[in-house]
């Protein structure tokens, strides 16, 4: 029999609850004791197979549960408003998933636990998972840069929108169908149809600015793939736009 202590001092989490959930995914329910704060867990296992399951559970706990908290902590240090941080977090979390090597982390945890019976998770992460932590930091920085670029782009759209408001409509109603594959079809009042490939947002916007339609009807079937294009059109043409999905 071997007893291990799993501890966190920095993360405001119920370590007992998180670990039990991850252990159940491994079909493993060992004897567990926890402190009153639930931030220190003592677990007793019987053999090497159980240690493998514990290592797998801790790997998921770190790379899923604590990854969210750590990335939020990194983002919180940025000189952004709370709303800006809220917007960039999903992008940073999504991009960080691809760097989660559960098998490698589980193997490293197994090696550590064969020689140590105390695991302070934040200390382990910062000293033995520096490459992963640095990658998470890069994901946050990249998301922040993308957020700034998006805001600058939307500001440009607002300025162009002021220009389009001053222009008298040159054509009547225009219908835009946004397809599931990300492409779009534009049809004017004379039934002239133009097919636009996925990722050609700039071309679509330039075309609409040149057409200066009196009304734009958007039928969005893209399931979110064309959300940026739709928002840009709405910013450019304001009340002239009606959206349906």
């Amino acid at each position: 029999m071997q007893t291990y202590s799993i501890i966190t001092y920095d993360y405001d989490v119920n370590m007992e609850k998180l670990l039990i959930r991850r252990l159940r995914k491994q079909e493993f329910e060992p004897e567990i004791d926890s402190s009153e704060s639930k931030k220190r867990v003592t677990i007793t296992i019987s053999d090497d197979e159980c240690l493998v399951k514990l290592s797998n559970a801790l790997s998921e706990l770190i790379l899923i549960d604590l990854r969210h908290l750590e990335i939020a902590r990194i983002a919180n240090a940025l000189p952004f408003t709370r709303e800006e941080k809220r917007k960039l977090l999903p992008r940073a979390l999504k991009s960080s998933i691809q760097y989660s090597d559960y098998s490698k982390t589980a193997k490293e945890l197994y090696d550590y636990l064969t020689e140590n019976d105390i695991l302070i998770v934040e200390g382990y992460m910062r000293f033995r998972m520096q490459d992963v932590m640095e990658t998470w930091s890069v994901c946050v920085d990249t998301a922040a840069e993308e957020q700034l670029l998006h805001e600058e782009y939307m500001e440009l759209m607002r300025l162009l929108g002021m220009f389009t408001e001053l222009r008298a409509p040159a054509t009547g109603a225009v219908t835009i169908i946004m397809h599931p594959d990300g492409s779009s079809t534009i049809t004017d009042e004379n039934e002239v149809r133009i097919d636009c490939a996925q990722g050609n947002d700039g071309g679509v916007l330039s075309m609409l600015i040149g057409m200066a339609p009196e009304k734009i009807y958007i039928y969005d079937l893209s399931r979110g793939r064309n959300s940026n294009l739709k928002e840009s059109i709405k910013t450019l043409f304001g009340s002239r736009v009606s959206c349906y999905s």
Side-chain angles (χ1 to χ4, degrees):
M1 303 290 285
Q2 177 67 49
T3 299
Y4 294 95
S5 293
I6 314 299
I7 308 167
T8 180
Y9 295 112
D10 294 350
Y11 296 116
D12 186 18
V13 296
N14 186 325
M15 184 59 70
E16 177 186 28
K17 183 177 179 179
L18 290 178
L19 186 55
I20 288 175
R21 183 175 65 181
R22 295 301 169 190
L23 287 168
R24 283 176 177 168
K25 285 192 64 179
Q26 301 295 321
E27 299 182 347
F28 182 38
E29 297 192 25
E31 178 184 343
I32 292 180
D33 293 319
S34 64
S35 63
E36 290 185 6
S37 69
K38 306 297 183 181
K39 299 178 75 171
R40 180 187 184 109
V41 177
T42 301
I43 177 171
T44 301
I45 62 176
S46 58
D47 53 32
D48 188 70
E49 182 181 353
C50 294
L51 181 57
V52 170
K53 291 181 178 180
L54 174 59
S55 301
N56 289 337
L58 288 169
S59 173
E60 291 190 355
L61 187 150
I62 291 173
L63 295 178
I64 298 176
D65 302 312
L66 299 187
R67 173 174 60 89
H68 284 71
L69 297 178
E70 188 61 28
I71 286 179
R73 183 192 66 80
I74 296 170
N76 195 50
L78 295 174
F80 282 20
T81 65
R82 180 179 296 182
E83 179 63 17
E84 289 171 334
K85 293 173 184 177
R86 185 189 67 80
K87 290 180 179 178
L88 71 85
L89 265 177
R91 186 180 290 115
L93 287 168
K94 182 178 180 180
S95 64
S96 67
I97 293 174
Q98 61 185 305
Y99 303 107
S100 297
D101 190 335
Y102 298 101
S103 298
K104 177 175 180 289
T105 302
K107 176 62 169 60
E108 292 171 347
L109 281 162
Y110 174 87
D111 292 341
Y112 176 85
L113 293 173
T114 57
E115 300 180 359
N116 301 273
D117 58 8
I118 297 176
L119 174 67
I120 301 174
V121 289
E122 56 267 24
Y124 181 88
M125 292 165 65
R126 288 164 192 164
F127 287 99
R128 292 179 176 255
M129 296 178 63
Q130 290 183 5
D131 55 339
V132 175
M133 299 282 279
E134 289 172 2
T135 299
W136 291 349
S137 183
V138 169
C139 289
V140 173
D141 290 341
T142 301
E145 292 174 4
E146 292 174 351
Q147 178 73 19
L148 289 173
L149 287 172
H150 178 72
E151 290 177 357
E152 291 174 0
Y153 175 77
M154 294 309 295
E155 181 61 26
L156 174 61
M157 290 298 102
R158 281 189 285 271
L159 292 174
L160 287 173
M162 295 171 62
F163 168 72
T164 59
E165 286 181 1
L166 297 175
R167 293 182 61 193
T171 59
V174 167
T175 299
I176 303 174
I177 300 176
M178 297 178 174
H179 303 291
D181 64 356
S183 64
S184 301
T185 300
I186 301 175
T187 307
D188 67 10
E189 59 184 347
N190 298 315
E191 299 298 323
V192 175
R193 171 174 167 166
I194 302 172
D195 293 317
C196 303
Q198 176 187 2
N200 190 29
D201 293 6
V204 172
L205 295 173
S206 296
M207 187 185 309
L208 292 173
I209 291 172
M211 295 172 72
E214 182 178 13
K215 190 70 178 176
I216 299 175
Y217 298 99
I218 298 177
Y219 295 89
D220 187 4
L221 310 177
S222 69
R223 300 173 184 172
R225 297 187 69 174
N226 277 333
S227 58
N228 288 337
L229 175 59
K230 182 168 67 174
E231 289 304 312
S232 297
I233 295 172
K234 289 165 64 178
T235 302
L236 270 173
F237 295 95
S239 59
R240 300 187 195 182
V241 181
S242 296
C243 298
Y244 307 92
S245 58

